[in-house]
Amino acid sequence: MTPTEYDFLKRFLKERSGLMLSDDKQYLVESRLVPVARKNGIDTLSGLVQAMQRGGNAVLSNAVVEAMTTNESFFFRDKTPFEHFNNIMLPAMLEKRASSRSVKIWCAAASTGQEPYSIGICLKEAAHKVAGWRFRILGTDLSSEVLEKAKAGIYSQFEVQRGLPIQMLLKYFAQQGDLWQINPDLRAMIEWRKLNLLENFSHLGEFDIVFCRNVLIYFDQQTKIDILQRIAKMMPEDGFLVLGAAETVVGLTDAFQPVPGQRGLYQLKQAASATAAPRLAMASSFGLK
Amino acid sequence: MKQCLVVDDSSVIRKVARRILEDLQFQITEAEDGQQALDACRKAMPDAILLDWNMPVMDGLEFLTSLRREPGGEKPIVVFCTTENDVAHIARAIRAGANEYIMKPFDREIVEAKFQEVGLI
Ligand SMILES: C[S@@+](CC[C@H](N)C(=O)[O-])C[C@H]1O[C@@H](n2cnc3c(N)ncnc32)[C@H](O)[C@@H]1O
């Protein structure tokens, strides 16, 4: 692959999925795209790029975009977000939505489904508290391949052993040989849709809780800002945003503010102080901004 | 440093497990079957036990059942680590007092995840 061809790929990916490829990622591009080329009867990466440049092959372009996404996920990844869900977000919603008894949750980069299913499991575990409530969980992702897997809810032995306590495996999965499928009632809790975060998503409606984890890291500053601001517009004043361990809103937008002392948890600017102040009595730490 | 007893009749598995667990800052002792493991526990209860199921002399389940009846035998955190990967086996292990369960083949990430799960790291 020539430098010009690499540049073409970089620009193409930035435009299509937001992915920022640095110049030292040649090996990654090769390991991900050689199989795509082969599958399409093309021998070399140069050949693949030329086919893309000729245009008109949406299937091929899509396959390239999807192959370059990093889809790694696991159940209860990083633990803390799900503790926040159980101990902060859920109690807040149970109090604030007492009249509608309806809560909407969005996993904006759901990948193979472990994140929405982990939330679903939290809700099952809290069954006595949420009886009579409607929780809508929407999982979206750019890649149709991962969504297929998420929908099926079938995981390898390796995947169910990362982050999932054994008791939960027994309780919420059915074994199929060496594979494990999440139970039908949990699968029914989640709706799946293909969605590119670079595109407009306001039609999805309003969400009380948004998990947008481990996806912004792949984007440039401007893209992060844009997505965060569009998410903010879809949230009620008392909603919650959850980011990945390596992500933050700080320095990007002041639409959101960190909930003090709660890593990775954010609220709209006005609301953050309201939640934090009575609980932690340290509203003054907001002087940061 | 926490003590972990690795119980497996395969010396290869014990070696792999030892390497992973030493990296996680455990001090390792080894046993080749349930009886050896029980003898070791009677001398000194470890903090953790990584336990195979199928072994000669005394298998893992029998060992675990005996261990939990020993004085101080409720203390060690027991993580099964076996090729037995069906629901019935897992459920039996948990009923007998296992704290976590690893289905072989395992790797560093799984051991680490499971040990975290039970608060050992
Ligand atoms: C590393 S996974 C994160 C999964 C999960 N949220 C977690 O934290 O474990 C990142 C996901 O973001 C998706 N993704 C990448 N670019 C995207 C875009 N522009 N729009 C929507 N999803 C995107 C990828 O397909 C991938 O499944």
Side-chain angles (χ1 to χ4, degrees):
Chain A
M1 197 174 27
T2 66
T4 328
E5 286 162 350
Y6 190 74
D7 271 354
F8 170 83
L9 272 178
K10 262 173 62 174
R11 256 180 298 117
F12 171 83
L13 290 165
K14 163 88 182 16
E15 193 178 301
R16 291 288 300 267
S17 70
L19 178 69
M20 292 297 289
L21 260 192
S22 51
D23 284 322
D24 58 354
K25 290 284 158 58
Q26 298 255 2
Y27 74 95
L28 181 76
V29 170
E30 262 168 52
S31 67
R32 299 267 182 95
L33 294 188
V34 167
V36 176
R38 298 255 158 83
K39 219 172 145 190
N40 286 271
I42 301 167
D43 287 336
T44 63
L45 278 190
S46 292
L48 179 73
V49 171
Q50 282 152 26
M52 289 167 68
Q53 284 168 332
R54 279 195 297 278
N57 191 341
V59 177
L60 186 66
S61 315
N62 251 330
V64 168
V65 170
E66 293 202 8
M68 287 308 300
T69 57
T70 296
N71 306 121
E72 185 181 53
S73 189
F74 28 99
F75 291 99
F76 297 100
R77 181 175 196 169
D78 300 337
K79 291 239 163 22
T80 321
F82 303 95
E83 287 163 15
H84 286 160
F85 181 80
N86 290 331
N87 303 330
I88 299 175
M89 294 181 255
L90 190 56
M93 287 301 143
L94 291 179
E95 188 191 318
K96 291 178 173 154
R97 300 291 178 274
S99 55
S100 68
R101 296 191 152 216
S102 161
V103 178
K104 291 204 288 179
I105 303 169
W106 177 27
C107 290
S111 189
T112 39
Q114 286 92 331
E115 183 177 276
Y117 285 134
S118 299
I119 298 173
I121 290 175
C122 289
L123 289 170
K124 286 274 175 202
E125 293 284 303
H128 55 290
K129 288 186 221 156
V130 302
W133 284 65
R134 258 195 36 211
F135 279 83
R136 176 185 166 211
I137 307 176
L138 175 68
T140 65
D141 201 281
L142 167 77
S143 156
S144 5
E145 201 178 318
V146 294
L147 284 175
E148 282 311 310
K149 178 168 165 142
K151 223 177 278 183
I154 299 175
Y155 299 94
S156 71
Q157 190 168 291
F158 182 78
E159 290 167 317
V160 297
Q161 298 202 82
R162 287 177 80 190
L164 197 64
I166 195 71
Q167 307 270 11
M168 299 217 174
L169 180 67
L170 290 188
K171 204 162 158 190
Y172 298 114
F173 290 74
Q175 189 168 27
Q176 300 180 345
D178 280 350
L179 301 175
W180 296 80
Q181 182 170 37
I182 195 140
N183 288 341
D185 54 338
L186 266 161
R187 270 181 281 142
M189 285 174 77
I190 298 156
E191 188 192 322
W192 307 98
R193 264 207 238 179
K194 183 167 164 139
L195 179 93
N196 187 341
L197 289 170
L198 299 190
E199 288 162 18
N200 176 30
F201 46 68
S202 60
H203 56 278
L204 295 178
E206 192 176 75
F207 290 93
D208 303 295
I209 297 173
V210 179
F211 278 67
C212 183
R213 300 173 62 219
N214 302 303
V215 64
L216 295 181
I217 32 168
Y218 300 107
F219 302 152
D220 70 5
Q221 188 97 345
Q222 198 46 53
T223 310
K224 290 180 198 179
I225 294 171
D226 172 55
I227 293 173
L228 285 169
Q229 287 178 345
R230 285 186 292 127
I231 291 176
K233 288 196 190 120
M234 298 167 70
M235 292 174 48
E237 210 174 80
D238 54 4
F240 291 95
L241 170 72
V242 187
L243 297 182
E247 296 158 333
T248 179
V249 303
V250 176
L252 294 174
T253 170
D254 47 18
F256 290 103
Q257 277 201 341
V259 178
Q262 313 297 340
R263 255 196 98 162
L265 187 62
Y266 302 86
Q267 287 206 289
L268 292 179
K269 194 167 184 167
Q270 321 80 299
S273 32
T275 304
R279 192 160 310 185
L280 303 166
M282 51 187 288
S284 60
S285 70
F286 275 93
L288 285 171
K289 256 273 116 156
Chain B
M1 221 182 197
K2 285 187 176 155
Q3 309 282 328
C4 181
L5 174 62
V6 174
V7 193
D8 202 303
D9 58 340
S10 151
S11 60
V12 176
I13 300 273
R14 290 201 305 274
K15 206 163 143 189
V16 172
R18 170 189 280 272
R19 200 170 301 148
I20 296 174
L21 288 165
E22 279 178 349
D23 286 348
L24 297 171
Q25 306 302 315
F26 283 89
Q27 194 165 346
I28 306 301
T29 45
E30 296 182 19
E32 293 175 25
D33 61 55
Q35 187 57 56
Q36 279 189 14
L38 202 55
D39 294 343
C41 288
R42 281 175 179 148
K43 276 193 215 118
M45 284 294 170
D47 301 290
I49 302 176
L50 188 73
L51 181 62
D52 188 17
W53 194 303
N54 297 305
M55 292 175 292
V57 189
M58 183 191 285
D59 72 20
L61 191 71
E62 208 183 324
F63 159 75
L64 177 58
T65 312
S66 314
L67 172 75
R68 293 305 192 208
R69 290 203 202 103
E70 291 283 316
E74 70 294 334
K75 187 197 105 188
I77 291 179
V78 175
V79 179
F80 253 104
C81 182
T82 165
T83 48
E84 301 295 350
N85 67 353
D86 57 285
V87 170
H89 272 92
I90 301 174
R92 270 174 77 195
I94 289 175
R95 252 181 284 126
N99 302 84
E100 256 299 341
Y101 199 102
I102 294 173
M103 297 174 271
K104 286 177 181 166
F106 64 96
D107 63 7
R108 191 172 290 266
E109 280 180 14
I110 290 178
V111 174
E112 202 172 334
K114 291 294 187 180
F115 272 58
Q116 254 165 23
E117 210 57 68
V118 290
L120 279 166
I121 44 178

PDB file of all heavy atoms in Angstrom, chain A residues 104-132:
ATOM      1  N   LYS A 104     -35.956   5.537  30.081  1.00  0.00           N
ATOM      2  CA  LYS A 104     -35.362   5.144  28.802  1.00  0.00           C
ATOM      3  C   LYS A 104     -33.839   5.217  28.876  1.00  0.00           C
ATOM      4  O   LYS A 104     -33.266   6.187  29.330  1.00  0.00           O
ATOM      5  CB  LYS A 104     -35.900   6.024  27.694  1.00  0.00           C
ATOM      6  CG  LYS A 104     -37.389   5.705  27.454  1.00  0.00           C
ATOM      7  CD  LYS A 104     -37.837   6.083  26.069  1.00  0.00           C
ATOM      8  CE  LYS A 104     -37.931   7.588  25.929  1.00  0.00           C
ATOM      9  NZ  LYS A 104     -38.341   7.981  24.584  1.00  0.00           N
ATOM     10  N   ILE A 105     -33.223   4.147  28.414  1.00  0.00           N
ATOM     11  CA  ILE A 105     -31.768   4.021  28.494  1.00  0.00           C
ATOM     12  C   ILE A 105     -31.217   3.751  27.093  1.00  0.00           C
ATOM     13  O   ILE A 105     -31.776   2.958  26.345  1.00  0.00           O
ATOM     14  CB  ILE A 105     -31.383   2.844  29.418  1.00  0.00           C
ATOM     15  CG1 ILE A 105     -32.000   3.054  30.810  1.00  0.00           C
ATOM     16  CG2 ILE A 105     -29.865   2.692  29.512  1.00  0.00           C
ATOM     17  CD1 ILE A 105     -31.904   1.842  31.716  1.00  0.00           C
ATOM     18  N   TRP A 106     -30.122   4.429  26.769  1.00  0.00           N
ATOM     19  CA  TRP A 106     -29.534   4.245  25.449  1.00  0.00           C
ATOM     20  C   TRP A 106     -28.075   3.828  25.576  1.00  0.00           C
ATOM     21  O   TRP A 106     -27.296   4.526  26.217  1.00  0.00           O
ATOM     22  CB  TRP A 106     -29.656   5.557  24.657  1.00  0.00           C
ATOM     23  CG  TRP A 106     -29.024   5.548  23.301  1.00  0.00           C
ATOM     24  CD1 TRP A 106     -28.815   4.465  22.491  1.00  0.00           C
ATOM     25  CD2 TRP A 106     -28.513   6.687  22.587  1.00  0.00           C
ATOM     26  NE1 TRP A 106     -28.219   4.853  21.309  1.00  0.00           N
ATOM     27  CE2 TRP A 106     -28.027   6.210  21.345  1.00  0.00           C
ATOM     28  CE3 TRP A 106     -28.439   8.052  22.876  1.00  0.00           C
ATOM     29  CZ2 TRP A 106     -27.452   7.060  20.404  1.00  0.00           C
ATOM     30  CZ3 TRP A 106     -27.877   8.903  21.939  1.00  0.00           C
ATOM     31  CH2 TRP A 106     -27.390   8.403  20.710  1.00  0.00           C
ATOM     32  N   CYS A 107     -27.695   2.721  24.974  1.00  0.00           N
ATOM     33  CA  CYS A 107     -26.287   2.353  24.845  1.00  0.00           C
ATOM     34  C   CYS A 107     -25.865   2.721  23.440  1.00  0.00           C
ATOM     35  O   CYS A 107     -26.227   2.055  22.469  1.00  0.00           O
ATOM     36  CB  CYS A 107     -26.083   0.854  25.076  1.00  0.00           C
ATOM     37  SG  CYS A 107     -26.341   0.374  26.775  1.00  0.00           S
ATOM     38  N   ALA A 108     -25.084   3.801  23.331  1.00  0.00           N
ATOM     39  CA  ALA A 108     -24.848   4.423  22.036  1.00  0.00           C
ATOM     40  C   ALA A 108     -23.743   3.742  21.220  1.00  0.00           C
ATOM     41  O   ALA A 108     -23.572   4.053  20.049  1.00  0.00           O
ATOM     42  CB  ALA A 108     -24.528   5.902  22.226  1.00  0.00           C
ATOM     43  N   ALA A 109     -22.998   2.850  21.832  1.00  0.00           N
ATOM     44  CA  ALA A 109     -22.024   2.045  21.075  1.00  0.00           C
ATOM     45  C   ALA A 109     -22.047   0.667  21.714  1.00  0.00           C
ATOM     46  O   ALA A 109     -21.162   0.277  22.448  1.00  0.00           O
ATOM     47  CB  ALA A 109     -20.628   2.663  21.125  1.00  0.00           C
ATOM     48  N   ALA A 110     -23.100  -0.057  21.409  1.00  0.00           N
ATOM     49  CA  ALA A 110     -23.440  -1.262  22.172  1.00  0.00           C
ATOM     50  C   ALA A 110     -22.587  -2.454  21.797  1.00  0.00           C
ATOM     51  O   ALA A 110     -22.537  -3.442  22.524  1.00  0.00           O
ATOM     52  CB  ALA A 110     -24.915  -1.591  21.974  1.00  0.00           C
ATOM     53  N   SER A 111     -21.942  -2.386  20.647  1.00  0.00           N
ATOM     54  CA  SER A 111     -21.119  -3.485  20.161  1.00  0.00           C
ATOM     55  C   SER A 111     -21.871  -4.814  20.255  1.00  0.00           C
ATOM     56  O   SER A 111     -23.032  -4.897  19.874  1.00  0.00           O
ATOM     57  CB  SER A 111     -19.789  -3.534  20.920  1.00  0.00           C
ATOM     58  OG  SER A 111     -18.929  -4.462  20.300  1.00  0.00           O
ATOM     59  N   THR A 112     -21.227  -5.842  20.791  1.00  0.00           N
ATOM     60  CA  THR A 112     -21.835  -7.177  20.794  1.00  0.00           C
ATOM     61  C   THR A 112     -22.840  -7.389  21.934  1.00  0.00           C
ATOM     62  O   THR A 112     -23.244  -8.515  22.188  1.00  0.00           O
ATOM     63  CB  THR A 112     -20.735  -8.258  20.842  1.00  0.00           C
ATOM     64  OG1 THR A 112     -19.690  -7.800  21.714  1.00  0.00           O
ATOM     65  CG2 THR A 112     -20.126  -8.458  19.476  1.00  0.00           C
ATOM     66  N   GLY A 113     -23.211  -6.318  22.616  1.00  0.00           N
ATOM     67  CA  GLY A 113     -24.369  -6.392  23.505  1.00  0.00           C
ATOM     68  C   GLY A 113     -24.105  -6.550  24.989  1.00  0.00           C
ATOM     69  O   GLY A 113     -25.029  -6.444  25.797  1.00  0.00           O
ATOM     70  N   GLN A 114     -22.837  -6.774  25.366  1.00  0.00           N
ATOM     71  CA  GLN A 114     -22.581  -7.027  26.786  1.00  0.00           C
ATOM     72  C   GLN A 114     -23.023  -5.866  27.679  1.00  0.00           C
ATOM     73  O   GLN A 114     -23.478  -6.089  28.799  1.00  0.00           O
ATOM     74  CB  GLN A 114     -21.088  -7.299  27.019  1.00  0.00           C
ATOM     75  CG  GLN A 114     -20.631  -8.676  26.552  1.00  0.00           C
ATOM     76  CD  GLN A 114     -20.106  -8.673  25.123  1.00  0.00           C
ATOM     77  OE1 GLN A 114     -20.528  -7.859  24.297  1.00  0.00           O
ATOM     78  NE2 GLN A 114     -19.202  -9.577  24.816  1.00  0.00           N
ATOM     79  N   GLU A 115     -22.874  -4.638  27.184  1.00  0.00           N
ATOM     80  CA  GLU A 115     -23.222  -3.485  28.022  1.00  0.00           C
ATOM     81  C   GLU A 115     -24.729  -3.386  28.273  1.00  0.00           C
ATOM     82  O   GLU A 115     -25.161  -3.347  29.429  1.00  0.00           O
ATOM     83  CB  GLU A 115     -22.659  -2.222  27.381  1.00  0.00           C
ATOM     84  CG  GLU A 115     -22.872  -0.951  28.154  1.00  0.00           C
ATOM     85  CD  GLU A 115     -22.203   0.209  27.424  1.00  0.00           C
ATOM     86  OE1 GLU A 115     -21.000   0.406  27.616  1.00  0.00           O
ATOM     87  OE2 GLU A 115     -22.882   0.889  26.627  1.00  0.00           O
ATOM     88  N   PRO A 116     -25.554  -3.369  27.219  1.00  0.00           N
ATOM     89  CA  PRO A 116     -27.003  -3.357  27.488  1.00  0.00           C
ATOM     90  C   PRO A 116     -27.478  -4.575  28.284  1.00  0.00           C
ATOM     91  O   PRO A 116     -28.331  -4.431  29.159  1.00  0.00           O
ATOM     92  CB  PRO A 116     -27.645  -3.339  26.101  1.00  0.00           C
ATOM     93  CG  PRO A 116     -26.556  -3.321  25.111  1.00  0.00           C
ATOM     94  CD  PRO A 116     -25.255  -3.154  25.797  1.00  0.00           C
ATOM     95  N   TYR A 117     -26.913  -5.731  28.018  1.00  0.00           N
ATOM     96  CA  TYR A 117     -27.331  -6.909  28.787  1.00  0.00           C
ATOM     97  C   TYR A 117     -26.919  -6.778  30.253  1.00  0.00           C
ATOM     98  O   TYR A 117     -27.650  -7.213  31.151  1.00  0.00           O
ATOM     99  CB  TYR A 117     -26.756  -8.195  28.196  1.00  0.00           C
ATOM    100  CG  TYR A 117     -27.462  -8.636  26.922  1.00  0.00           C
ATOM    101  CD1 TYR A 117     -26.749  -9.047  25.806  1.00  0.00           C
ATOM    102  CD2 TYR A 117     -28.863  -8.656  26.852  1.00  0.00           C
ATOM    103  CE1 TYR A 117     -27.394  -9.459  24.640  1.00  0.00           C
ATOM    104  CE2 TYR A 117     -29.511  -9.058  25.683  1.00  0.00           C
ATOM    105  CZ  TYR A 117     -28.771  -9.457  24.590  1.00  0.00           C
ATOM    106  OH  TYR A 117     -29.414  -9.860  23.442  1.00  0.00           O
ATOM    107  N   SER A 118     -25.765  -6.170  30.517  1.00  0.00           N
ATOM    108  CA  SER A 118     -25.358  -5.968  31.909  1.00  0.00           C
ATOM    109  C   SER A 118     -26.359  -5.062  32.624  1.00  0.00           C
ATOM    110  O   SER A 118     -26.699  -5.297  33.784  1.00  0.00           O
ATOM    111  CB  SER A 118     -23.958  -5.351  31.986  1.00  0.00           C
ATOM    112  OG  SER A 118     -23.005  -6.208  31.376  1.00  0.00           O
ATOM    113  N   ILE A 119     -26.824  -4.031  31.913  1.00  0.00           N
ATOM    114  CA  ILE A 119     -27.843  -3.148  32.505  1.00  0.00           C
ATOM    115  C   ILE A 119     -29.128  -3.938  32.738  1.00  0.00           C
ATOM    116  O   ILE A 119     -29.763  -3.824  33.792  1.00  0.00           O
ATOM    117  CB  ILE A 119     -28.112  -1.937  31.584  1.00  0.00           C
ATOM    118  CG1 ILE A 119     -26.838  -1.102  31.421  1.00  0.00           C
ATOM    119  CG2 ILE A 119     -29.257  -1.085  32.135  1.00  0.00           C
ATOM    120  CD1 ILE A 119     -26.962   0.016  30.399  1.00  0.00           C
ATOM    121  N   GLY A 120     -29.487  -4.757  31.761  1.00  0.00           N
ATOM    122  CA  GLY A 120     -30.668  -5.606  31.900  1.00  0.00           C
ATOM    123  C   GLY A 120     -30.572  -6.508  33.121  1.00  0.00           C
ATOM    124  O   GLY A 120     -31.535  -6.667  33.876  1.00  0.00           O
ATOM    125  N   ILE A 121     -29.388  -7.063  33.339  1.00  0.00           N
ATOM    126  CA  ILE A 121     -29.187  -7.936  34.500  1.00  0.00           C
ATOM    127  C   ILE A 121     -29.325  -7.132  35.801  1.00  0.00           C
ATOM    128  O   ILE A 121     -29.960  -7.579  36.753  1.00  0.00           O
ATOM    129  CB  ILE A 121     -27.814  -8.653  34.419  1.00  0.00           C
ATOM    130  CG1 ILE A 121     -27.839  -9.685  33.280  1.00  0.00           C
ATOM    131  CG2 ILE A 121     -27.470  -9.337  35.747  1.00  0.00           C
ATOM    132  CD1 ILE A 121     -26.508 -10.383  33.009  1.00  0.00           C
ATOM    133  N   CYS A 122     -28.769  -5.918  35.806  1.00  0.00           N
ATOM    134  CA  CYS A 122     -28.938  -5.050  36.989  1.00  0.00           C
ATOM    135  C   CYS A 122     -30.422  -4.862  37.294  1.00  0.00           C
ATOM    136  O   CYS A 122     -30.844  -4.917  38.453  1.00  0.00           O
ATOM    137  CB  CYS A 122     -28.316  -3.673  36.756  1.00  0.00           C
ATOM    138  SG  CYS A 122     -26.519  -3.672  36.723  1.00  0.00           S
ATOM    139  N   LEU A 123     -31.209  -4.642  36.255  1.00  0.00           N
ATOM    140  CA  LEU A 123     -32.644  -4.419  36.449  1.00  0.00           C
ATOM    141  C   LEU A 123     -33.331  -5.681  36.953  1.00  0.00           C
ATOM    142  O   LEU A 123     -34.212  -5.622  37.809  1.00  0.00           O
ATOM    143  CB  LEU A 123     -33.290  -3.926  35.157  1.00  0.00           C
ATOM    144  CG  LEU A 123     -32.914  -2.498  34.766  1.00  0.00           C
ATOM    145  CD1 LEU A 123     -33.392  -2.175  33.358  1.00  0.00           C
ATOM    146  CD2 LEU A 123     -33.500  -1.500  35.766  1.00  0.00           C
ATOM    147  N   LYS A 124     -32.920  -6.824  36.424  1.00  0.00           N
ATOM    148  CA  LYS A 124     -33.473  -8.097  36.913  1.00  0.00           C
ATOM    149  C   LYS A 124     -33.154  -8.286  38.389  1.00  0.00           C
ATOM    150  O   LYS A 124     -33.986  -8.731  39.174  1.00  0.00           O
ATOM    151  CB  LYS A 124     -32.877  -9.271  36.120  1.00  0.00           C
ATOM    152  CG  LYS A 124     -33.424  -9.386  34.723  1.00  0.00           C
ATOM    153  CD  LYS A 124     -34.699 -10.207  34.755  1.00  0.00           C
ATOM    154  CE  LYS A 124     -35.326 -10.222  33.377  1.00  0.00           C
ATOM    155  NZ  LYS A 124     -36.752 -10.538  33.422  1.00  0.00           N
ATOM    156  N   GLU A 125     -31.912  -7.949  38.737  1.00  0.00           N
ATOM    157  CA  GLU A 125     -31.504  -8.110  40.133  1.00  0.00           C
ATOM    158  C   GLU A 125     -32.270  -7.152  41.050  1.00  0.00           C
ATOM    159  O   GLU A 125     -32.394  -7.399  42.229  1.00  0.00           O
ATOM    160  CB  GLU A 125     -29.993  -7.876  40.277  1.00  0.00           C
ATOM    161  CG  GLU A 125     -29.136  -8.946  39.597  1.00  0.00           C
ATOM    162  CD  GLU A 125     -29.068 -10.261  40.380  1.00  0.00           C
ATOM    163  OE1 GLU A 125     -28.649 -10.227  41.542  1.00  0.00           O
ATOM    164  OE2 GLU A 125     -29.449 -11.312  39.816  1.00  0.00           O
ATOM    165  N   ALA A 126     -32.758  -6.055  40.461  1.00  0.00           N
ATOM    166  CA  ALA A 126     -33.514  -5.078  41.254  1.00  0.00           C
ATOM    167  C   ALA A 126     -35.012  -5.266  41.047  1.00  0.00           C
ATOM    168  O   ALA A 126     -35.802  -4.340  41.287  1.00  0.00           O
ATOM    169  CB  ALA A 126     -33.089  -3.662  40.877  1.00  0.00           C
ATOM    170  N   ALA A 127     -35.405  -6.441  40.607  1.00  0.00           N
ATOM    171  CA  ALA A 127     -36.797  -6.700  40.192  1.00  0.00           C
ATOM    172  C   ALA A 127     -37.831  -6.194  41.204  1.00  0.00           C
ATOM    173  O   ALA A 127     -38.835  -5.594  40.825  1.00  0.00           O
ATOM    174  CB  ALA A 127     -36.985  -8.188  39.935  1.00  0.00           C
ATOM    175  N   HIS A 128     -37.556  -6.409  42.492  1.00  0.00           N
ATOM    176  CA  HIS A 128     -38.543  -6.005  43.504  1.00  0.00           C
ATOM    177  C   HIS A 128     -38.767  -4.497  43.519  1.00  0.00           C
ATOM    178  O   HIS A 128     -39.848  -4.023  43.821  1.00  0.00           O
ATOM    179  CB  HIS A 128     -38.109  -6.501  44.885  1.00  0.00           C
ATOM    180  CG  HIS A 128     -36.726  -6.046  45.262  1.00  0.00           C
ATOM    181  ND1 HIS A 128     -35.589  -6.539  44.639  1.00  0.00           N
ATOM    182  CD2 HIS A 128     -36.296  -5.146  46.172  1.00  0.00           C
ATOM    183  CE1 HIS A 128     -34.516  -5.941  45.172  1.00  0.00           C
ATOM    184  NE2 HIS A 128     -34.925  -5.093  46.092  1.00  0.00           N
ATOM    185  N   LYS A 129     -37.702  -3.745  43.165  1.00  0.00           N
ATOM    186  CA  LYS A 129     -37.834  -2.287  43.193  1.00  0.00           C
ATOM    187  C   LYS A 129     -38.493  -1.751  41.934  1.00  0.00           C
ATOM    188  O   LYS A 129     -39.122  -0.695  41.954  1.00  0.00           O
ATOM    189  CB  LYS A 129     -36.451  -1.626  43.301  1.00  0.00           C
ATOM    190  CG  LYS A 129     -35.804  -1.781  44.654  1.00  0.00           C
ATOM    191  CD  LYS A 129     -34.519  -0.952  44.683  1.00  0.00           C
ATOM    192  CE  LYS A 129     -33.407  -1.713  45.387  1.00  0.00           C
ATOM    193  NZ  LYS A 129     -32.076  -1.286  44.980  1.00  0.00           N
ATOM    194  N   VAL A 130     -38.303  -2.446  40.813  1.00  0.00           N
ATOM    195  CA  VAL A 130     -38.771  -1.878  39.545  1.00  0.00           C
ATOM    196  C   VAL A 130     -40.068  -2.544  39.058  1.00  0.00           C
ATOM    197  O   VAL A 130     -40.494  -2.284  37.935  1.00  0.00           O
ATOM    198  CB  VAL A 130     -37.681  -1.970  38.439  1.00  0.00           C
ATOM    199  CG1 VAL A 130     -36.423  -1.252  38.876  1.00  0.00           C
ATOM    200  CG2 VAL A 130     -37.370  -3.414  38.074  1.00  0.00           C
ATOM    201  N   ALA A 131     -40.672  -3.360  39.899  1.00  0.00           N
ATOM    202  CA  ALA A 131     -41.923  -4.000  39.507  1.00  0.00           C
ATOM    203  C   ALA A 131     -42.941  -2.939  39.124  1.00  0.00           C
ATOM    204  O   ALA A 131     -43.115  -1.951  39.838  1.00  0.00           O
ATOM    205  CB  ALA A 131     -42.449  -4.857  40.658  1.00  0.00           C
ATOM    206  N   GLY A 132     -43.582  -3.122  37.983  1.00  0.00           N
ATOM    207  CA  GLY A 132     -44.583  -2.158  37.528  1.00  0.00           C
ATOM    208  C   GLY A 132     -43.989  -1.005  36.728  1.00  0.00           C
ATOM    209  O   GLY A 132     -44.713  -0.160  36.231  1.00  0.00           O
TER     210      GLY A 132
END
